[in-house]
Amino acid sequence: MRLPFSNAIFAFAKPTAIRYTVAMARLIHFVVAAAPSVLVVALLQVDQAVAVRSYLAMSMLSGLLCLLVFNSFDMYGRDMFSNLLLIRRTFIAWSASFGLMVLLHLLFRFIAEVPLELLSLWYGLSLAGFLLSRMAMLAFFQRRIRQGHFIQRSVILGMTDNAMRLADHVHHRPDVVSGLIGYIDDRAVHRLREAPPPSLPHLGGLDALEGLVRDGRVDQILVALPAGAQGRNEALAQRLRRLSVQVLLIPDMSTFRFAHRSMVPVGGVPMFVVAEPPLQGWSPVYKRCEDLILSSLALLALSPLLLLVAVAVKLDSPGPVLFRQKRYGYNQRLIEVYKFRSMHHHLRDAHAERQTGRGDPRVTRVGRFIRKTSLDELPQLFNVLGGSMSLVGPRPHATATKAANVLFEDAVEEYVARHRVKPGITGLAQINGYRGETDTLEKIQKRVEYDLEYIENWSLWLDLSILLRTVPAVLSAEAAY
């Protein structure tokens, strides 16, 4: 898990290094936004000096708008110094900036008409330039980290078990903002319960720490002394407050094994978030709008196919066209899920006590085809339209479904957690090959892993990606009988 930067940590970092890096990033962004206009002028073969000046003015406007919009998207804040590529934020910010520039051009016509092809070329070249410059910046940060150069040099005070956990965390997730240069402890190395890693040298005791701070070699002190030593901690806090550096108290690092990244204040006391609803704020509204729009369009586009399958099912064997089955939905509530009937009506299994296998005699001729191609799932578009399901989400399972004769909820401890969102017609597990029969514990465990990964990382982009990858996944699957 990656811990986010704290505003307080960022605020106390070296102002000169921060300002220099941000200024360089802004200059690069300005050039990347404006430079493609030179290519546009060349391709348009503009000769008149007045026209050339107009295009150059448009490029300057593009650069300035880029800086303003990027700043509003917090492109020059603490995330700029993280190890994130920031692809999505860069795409949205540049699209907004370029769109605003084109809108101003359409309103005021301060230059001649620019063909759509050249505008698209300008947009694409600049977007590629932003991403390449971000990759170059990350490569520069990684080089500085390998050389041991950080914007803020930190030391750990007190080599406790908690300090060891912090050192291990920072070692595996380095960033250029804060780097550990060593630890401070009045005890000799042989008196420690566990030897620190070689990359974390012993810098001495408290007296040595004060000397390091005076010499400007330490910018931040991370205190990891046991909470039980209250008297010593109070005396130490009074002594550390006299130093002109930031002093932070390390939380219990073992908490991060089961807590989320964020903290919330309760009665003025910061609390770690252990669990929270997966879709918050406007996210449920966005997802519901996505479901309503796309399911309506799908039903309109696929209505001839739905009618054709319904007729085939009816002619193939006696019984109703649709099969209704109770399955677990959002918050583990039972919902009625629709499918085209793929089994002989008198052999139907309402609770899925026996999974369908290869050559299952209960499956009809048409049923075998529509199960293989997942056409039997299409009526669930009506479930999506009605709100009991979503287009993308963990697949709903029947109440008695088993893997290796073990109920799903008994086979995987985290199984119930997948019901924190609405079930879907397709999902992350399905496009990764976990579709069809779940006859082993390993298969249901992998399905749940993918389901939880989807829940934790949900976005509209992820939903669209899964939808686009569903058809190829269905066509290449071999486990659906």
Side-chain angles (χ1 to χ4, degrees), residues 28 73 115 156-157 184 218 232 270 284 302 377 467:
I28 292 171
F73 276 82
I156 294 178
L157 177 56
I184 300 294
V218 171
R232 184 187 178 193
L302 298 174
E377 311 284 359
L467 289 172

Side-chain angles (χ1 to χ4, degrees), residues 16-322:
T16 304
I18 296 293
R19 282 198 297 266
Y20 175 78
T21 308
V22 170
M24 286 299 298
R26 283 176 171 155
L27 177 61
I28 292 171
H29 289 165
F30 181 89
V31 172
V32 169
S37 66
V38 178
L39 179 61
V40 171
V41 171
L43 292 175
L44 286 174
Q45 298 179 347
V46 178
D47 296 326
Q48 297 89 349
V50 175
V52 171
R53 285 196 296 269
S54 297
Y55 280 103
L56 291 178
M58 184 177 181
S59 70
M60 296 298 105
L61 175 64
S62 174
L64 291 173
L65 286 175
C66 171
L67 296 184
L68 290 173
V69 175
F70 275 35
N71 191 70
S72 67
F73 276 82
D74 200 26
M75 293 290 288
Y76 306 114
R78 61 179 183 262
D79 284 344
M80 191 182 82
F81 297 88
S82 71
N83 296 326
L84 302 173
L85 275 172
L86 303 177
I87 293 177
R88 185 185 309 167
R89 192 184 305 182
T90 302
F91 171 76
I92 296 174
W94 173 236
S95 299
S97 173
F98 195 78
L100 184 58
M101 188 266 293
V102 172
L103 178 62
L104 291 175
H105 162 59
L106 294 175
L107 289 175
F108 299 104
R109 295 289 181 180
F110 47 81
I111 61 171
E113 188 68 32
V114 181
L116 179 61
E117 295 81 2
L118 293 183
L119 283 176
S120 301
L121 179 64
W122 184 346
Y123 172 85
L125 288 175
S126 292
L127 180 61
F130 291 131
L131 297 178
L132 289 174
S133 65
R134 178 60 185 171
M135 293 171 65
M137 178 177 286
L138 290 179
F140 173 72
F141 286 166
Q142 292 300 318
R143 181 184 176 188
R144 297 286 293 176
I145 290 170
R146 287 193 299 269
Q147 294 173 344
H149 299 302
F150 304 93
I151 294 176
Q152 194 159 249
R153 295 157 298 182
S154 306
V155 295
I156 294 178
L157 177 56
M159 188 44 62
T160 59
D161 293 340
N162 201 35
M164 292 290 290
R165 285 190 286 267
L166 174 67
D168 179 70
H169 181 92
V170 173
H171 175 72
H172 288 93
R173 300 163 182 82
D175 62 64
V176 76
V177 172
S178 295
L180 293 176
I181 63 172
Y183 74 93
I184 300 294
D185 203 305
D186 289 327
R187 298 172 295 174
V189 178
H190 67 273
R191 293 181 56 197
L192 300 177
R193 290 182 56 185
E194 184 179 351
S199 59
L200 197 67
H202 183 208
L203 303 178
L206 278 173
D207 294 335
L209 173 61
E210 292 182 353
L212 291 170
V213 172
R214 282 194 300 269
D215 294 339
R217 295 165 57 190
V218 171
D219 307 299
Q220 187 182 73
I221 301 171
L222 308 176
V223 181
L225 295 178
Q230 184 175 354
R232 184 187 178 193
N233 288 343
E234 289 179 358
L236 182 63
Q238 292 295 331
R239 185 172 179 178
L240 293 176
R241 286 194 184 102
R242 299 198 295 264
L243 303 178
S244 57
V245 293
Q246 187 182 40
V247 180
L248 300 176
L249 184 65
I250 301 175
D252 184 359
M253 293 299 294
S254 61
T255 307
F256 292 112
R257 295 176 182 174
F258 54 86
H260 286 270
R261 298 179 175 93
S262 56
M263 299 178 71
V264 295
V266 178
V269 179
M271 303 282 183
F272 284 108
V273 177
V274 175
E276 56 187 350
L279 300 181
Q280 301 184 62
W282 287 92
S283 296
V285 178
Y286 297 149
K287 189 165 177 62
R288 183 59 183 149
C289 290
E290 173 196 48
D291 288 338
L292 287 173
I293 294 171
L294 295 183
S295 63
S296 299
L297 293 175
L299 283 170
L300 288 173
L302 298 174
S303 55
L305 179 60
L306 288 167
L307 181 61
L308 184 63
V309 174
V311 171
V313 169
K314 192 66 177 176
L315 293 177
D316 184 50
S317 63
V321 170
L322 293 180

Side-chain angles (χ1 to χ4, degrees), residues 364-413:
T364 64
R365 289 172 300 174
V366 170
R368 190 165 289 108
F369 174 75
I370 63 176
R371 290 177 71 91
K372 179 69 175 178
T373 56
S374 290
L375 293 176
D376 62 325
E377 311 284 359
L378 289 181
Q380 290 166 30
L381 289 169
F382 292 103
N383 285 108
V384 175
L385 205 59
S388 61
M389 287 181 63
S390 180
L391 283 173
V392 183
R395 286 292 297 151
H397 294 146
T399 55
T401 315
K402 299 176 182 179
N405 292 321
V406 180
L407 289 172
F408 282 176
E409 53 264 41
D410 297 330
V412 184
E413 186 177 357

Side-chain angles (χ1 to χ4, degrees), residues 343 349 354-363 368 371 436-439 443 478-481:
M343 290 185 178
D349 186 358
R354 172 190 165 192
Q355 289 200 52
T356 309
R358 188 185 298 274
D360 197 314
R362 299 174 298 170
V363 180
R368 190 165 289 108
R371 290 177 71 91
E437 187 180 15
T438 309
D439 53 348
K443 287 182 180 179
E478 298 180 358
Y481 309 123

Side-chain angles (χ1 to χ4, degrees), residues 324-358:
R324 296 174 173 84
Q325 188 178 54
K326 294 291 185 181
R327 298 191 179 188
Y328 288 118
Y330 172 68
N331 219 10
Q332 219 169 353
R333 299 169 187 158
L334 286 178
I335 61 172
E336 190 171 62
V337 174
Y338 306 129
K339 297 181 66 175
F340 280 124
R341 181 175 57 82
S342 59
M343 290 185 178
H344 294 285
H345 185 56
H346 65 285
L347 298 176
R348 66 190 183 279
D349 186 358
H351 303 290
E353 295 180 5
R354 172 190 165 192
Q355 289 200 52
T356 309
R358 188 185 298 274

